[in-house]
Amino acid sequence: MTVIVTEKCDGCRFTDCVTVCPVACFHTDGTMVYVNPVECIDCGACIPVCPVHAIYEARDLPAEFEHWRGVNAERAAGLPNISEKLEPLPTALGRQQAMGYGS
């Protein structure tokens, strides 16, 4: 099992998730993060800290996000690992509010 990051992360890049990951399985392309399913131990620590609810347990992944399983596996494999918090993108707070999260 693994966790899956969905399109909700795109344009936000809140990286609270990477600060709680015990195995550093997150990778980034600069606009969002992805989880490498080979590295993820499915601890779920990242799920509750995501401010836009972009991360799901594989078994709880809504059907509309199913294709993100493959996207994460494909993209993470070729991207740099991230293990330290980055500044959110300038669009992050607006996207967070548009999705109904935050103030």
Side-chain angles (χ1 to χ4, degrees):
M1 283 287 211
T2 186
V3 299
I4 293 103
V5 180
T6 66
E7 63 200 37
K8 292 179 180 182
C9 182
D10 191 26
C12 293
R13 198 192 64 196
F14 289 108
T15 52
D16 304 71
C17 51
V18 305
T19 65
V20 297
C21 181
V23 294
C25 66
F26 286 91
H27 299 260
T28 186
D29 63 4
T31 62
M32 67 178 284
V33 297
Y34 305 88
V35 169
N36 185 324
V38 175
E39 299 166 342
C40 179
I41 60 171
D42 195 34
C43 69
C46 55
I47 295 170
V49 300
C50 180
V52 293
H53 304 273
I55 308 171
Y56 293 86
E57 291 270 2
R59 67 179 166 265
D60 298 329
L61 187 66
E64 68 204 71
F65 298 128
E66 187 60 40
H67 70 284
W68 283 93
R69 287 179 195 264
V71 172
N72 275 258
E74 181 182 313
R75 297 285 293 144
L79 292 169
N81 184 269
I82 177 175
S83 58
E84 293 184 15
K85 187 173 175 74
L86 300 174
E87 286 295 317
L89 295 175
T91 54
L93 293 178
R95 282 215 8 99
Q96 181 184 29
Q97 290 173 350
M99 287 186 274
Y101 306 115
S103 48

